[in-house]
Amino acid sequence: MTAQNSTAAAPRTIHNARHAIASGEIKAVALAESYYATIAAGDANIHAWLALSRERALQQAARIDQMVASGAPLPLLAGAPIGIKDVLTMQGAPATAGSKILEGYLPPYDATAVARLEAAGAVLLGKLNCDEFAMGSSNENSAYGPVHNPRALDRVPGGSSGGSAAAVAANMAVATLGTDTGGSIRQPASFCGVVGLLPTYGRVSRYGLIAFASSLDRVGPFTHTVEDAAILLGVLAGHDAMDATTSLEPVPDYAAALAQPVKGLRIGIPEEYFAEGLDAEVRAAIEKAADALRAAGCTLHKVSLPHTRYAIPTYYVLATAEASANLARFDGVRYGLRAADATSLSSMYRKTRDAGFGKEVKRRILLGTYVLSAGYYDAYYRKAQQVRTLLTRDFLHAYTQVDALLTPTAPTPAFKLGEKTDDPLSMYLADIYTVTANLAGICGISVPCGNSKEGLPIGAQILGKHFDEATVLRIARAVEQAQ
Ligand code: GLN
């Protein structure tokens, strides 16, 4: 059985799940069970799930059913079955971050994003596969095996949140959480044909997120529709005393903002994002999305982000530097794996880290340690910080001329499993359109905008100003409606 066969029904959204539960059409427990049945039937081919949290999910679903029975008002996400990327903690469920080094680790607390979903009525189905410590663009770096793209099983789902994107695409969850440090929500959303939202840095709490690069990491949703992304962002966003980088900026009603027409909005087309290396079918699909926005009353403008060509090297200096520091805590003392055959403390550290980390993670720890080391810090790390400021200014300047930007999410549709695994540089280059938003701290979204001739999904990326998710969502909705 292919994924498509097991998921032939129209996808259920947060909106209609709540409606079906409120009207008594389906019980929340039955809905949760139906998702577990879909997972049992389809996940052998896809491998999106690393752990299921059945008991917790069914308890929560029963709670929702009791609320319906007693006539209590239903929370916004009542009964919505949602999956969580395995870099976020859920009390009592294993958290591996896709790594052997965290095998057996049971976090004693919920991430804020996870707790907020559950407090809003969501039914948390379990934990989703991802690249090890969220380092990758294809999910092939997971220590627990790759995820297959539900739209074409011989293709990657994208990464690092590949399980999160695939689970939504295969109707194994109504929505999921992912994280995006350099594209890990938007690129897999584009490869799997779903919506993926990158909130502004500071909009959603990172408390309980197993850190990769703390100045770049964001938590955000994968959904079937732009409306569901707006609903989830409303639940997730806002200040959290447990994450000092969260903003006090008020949280607007994102779902209500979708009702405002896009007429009159100025959309920038950054010329650097349409240069060589862009697949012709992707280019054509983005041009069609631009036409749809023009037809909806937007005006389109050429803009320039002149430092774009420095984005990949800047990202791979800063992200690896931060990763080398963040990953120092995994040494066999407090969490997960500990090498059994160590003879001293330092051999325990060495053997644990050697056995526990995969190849890509080791490569990044080495790179990150190198760029931070005495004598190289000024040449690499400090220089990259300076270029980061230039990249941010590029966006701020563009946003004096336009309200948002339209670009491809990725230069190609989903590539084949194994196609880039021997060439880390070509894998890094696939992040070319996404890493800039993380470096600049701005928000963005990937929304499906067509398929290649082979039937592979293509995503359009809309990038917005800091804390202007509402405009990004409105534009994405206009692209969605034109499909
Ligand atoms: N593909 C990028 C990397 O490998 C981005 C990963 C991410 O956003 N977590 O670092």
Side-chain angles (χ1 to χ4, degrees):
M1 182 170 57
T2 69
Q4 257 105 355
N5 290 342
S6 66
T7 59
R12 209 180 257 288
T13 60
I14 290 174
H15 200 79
N16 71 29
R18 186 174 184 277
H19 186 75
I21 289 168
S23 68
E25 183 194 319
I26 190 164
K27 291 236 188 300
V29 167
L31 185 64
E33 289 289 15
S34 82
Y35 275 85
Y36 281 126
T38 306
I39 293 169
D43 201 43
N45 292 327
I46 295 172
H47 197 38
W49 298 86
L50 292 180
L52 299 176
S53 46
R54 199 184 188 94
E55 202 177 318
R56 180 168 171 170
L58 295 178
Q59 261 174 24
Q60 166 84 340
R63 207 174 299 138
I64 300 292
D65 286 334
Q66 276 161 18
M67 292 172 95
V68 176
S70 68
L74 287 185
L76 207 56
L77 308 182
I82 291 183
I84 308 295
K85 183 179 181 182
D86 204 25
V87 291
L88 288 156
T89 61
M90 244 176 96
Q91 187 176 9
T96 68
S99 182
K100 287 273 179 236
I101 211 158
L102 277 171
E103 214 165 31
Y105 171 58
L106 282 176
Y109 68 107
D110 282 340
T112 297
V114 167
R116 285 190 181 179
L117 291 183
E118 199 172 53
V123 169
L124 305 177
L125 296 173
K127 306 297 291 292
L128 292 155
N129 203 350
C130 56
D131 283 304
E132 185 174 4
F133 288 104
M135 297 174 188
S137 307
S138 68
N139 224 295
E140 293 164 297
N141 296 337
S142 168
Y144 302 95
V147 177
H148 296 254
N149 190 321
R151 298 282 296 264
L153 293 174
D154 61 338
R155 306 259 165 181
V156 303
S160 64
S161 315
S164 300
V168 174
N171 285 330
M172 297 191 286
V174 163
T176 56
L177 286 188
T179 61
D180 189 317
T181 304
S184 282
I185 292 176
R186 291 158 290 156
Q187 183 253 24
S190 133
F191 280 13
C192 290
V194 298
V195 175
L197 175 75
L198 170 80
T200 304
Y201 189 81
R203 184 75 296 189
V204 176
S205 171
R206 290 178 295 110
Y207 179 67
L209 165 61
I210 298 169
F212 162 10
S214 307
S215 79
L216 302 162
D217 293 343
R218 323 263 182 93
V219 178
F222 286 89
T223 55
H224 288 291
T225 64
V226 173
E227 181 183 35
D228 275 0
I231 293 172
L232 281 181
L233 182 63
V235 170
L236 295 167
H239 181 254
D240 176 17
M242 301 304 283
D243 174 0
T245 65
T246 51
S247 169
L248 292 165
E249 190 80 20
V251 178
D253 185 339
Y254 297 110
L258 290 179
Q260 287 173 44
V262 291
K263 191 163 185 284
L265 287 178
R266 299 162 304 167
I267 314 275
I269 308 285
E271 55 180 327
E272 293 80 2
Y273 285 54
F274 292 84
E276 63 172 311
L278 176 59
D279 176 272
E281 290 188 276
V282 175
R283 179 192 297 271
I286 304 302
E287 280 167 2
K288 255 181 74 192
D291 290 342
L293 291 174
R294 208 179 280 117
C298 299
T299 55
L300 282 106
H301 308 265
K302 279 212 172 85
V303 295
S304 174
L305 300 169
H307 297 94
T308 300
R309 66 197 179 100
Y310 303 115
I312 293 279
T314 303
Y315 170 82
Y316 278 96
V317 169
L318 296 178
T320 57
E322 293 187 30
S324 73
N326 275 325
L327 270 54
R329 76 192 70 180
F330 302 109
D331 56 9
V333 176
R334 291 191 194 81
Y335 315 96
L337 187 83
R338 175 179 298 177
D341 54 347
T343 50
S344 65
L345 183 63
S346 71
S347 87
M348 194 266 282
Y349 290 161
R350 262 185 286 116
K351 287 183 185 233
T352 300
R353 286 168 73 82
D354 185 41
F357 288 136
K359 204 165 139 193
E360 181 62 27
V361 173
K362 285 179 184 157
R363 176 164 30 236
R364 299 209 187 188
I365 292 172
L366 288 171
L367 269 171
T369 307
Y370 179 79
V371 300
L372 288 175
S373 58
Y376 296 108
Y377 180 96
D378 286 328
Y380 297 111
Y381 184 75
R382 187 191 304 277
K383 186 61 78 190
Q385 290 286 32
Q386 290 166 333
V387 179
R388 181 177 190 173
T389 301
L390 295 176
L391 283 157
T392 307
R393 283 191 196 149
D394 279 358
F395 282 107
L396 296 180
H397 179 70
Y399 291 146
T400 62
Q401 299 161 356
V402 295
D403 300 299
L405 303 167
L406 171 69
T407 82
T409 305
T412 64
F415 45 89
K416 292 224 162 86
L417 281 148
E419 194 178 311
K420 295 186 196 281
T421 35
D422 293 335
D423 185 357
L425 199 58
S426 85
M427 193 78 94
Y428 296 175
L429 288 173
D431 301 334
I432 181 158
Y433 304 134
T434 49
V435 297
T436 48
N438 300 77
L439 291 164
I442 57 172
C443 61
I445 199 168
S446 180
V447 60
C449 71
N451 293 306
S452 72
K453 283 193 205 80
E454 281 182 275
L456 300 170
I458 296 171
Q461 174 174 246
I462 293 132
L463 297 174
K465 300 176 183 171
H466 293 104
F467 296 102
D468 195 15
E469 285 84 354
T471 300
V472 162
L473 286 159
R474 282 163 63 204
I475 297 167
R477 163 91 139 198
V479 172
E480 179 181 56
Q481 281 174 338
Q483 299 310 305

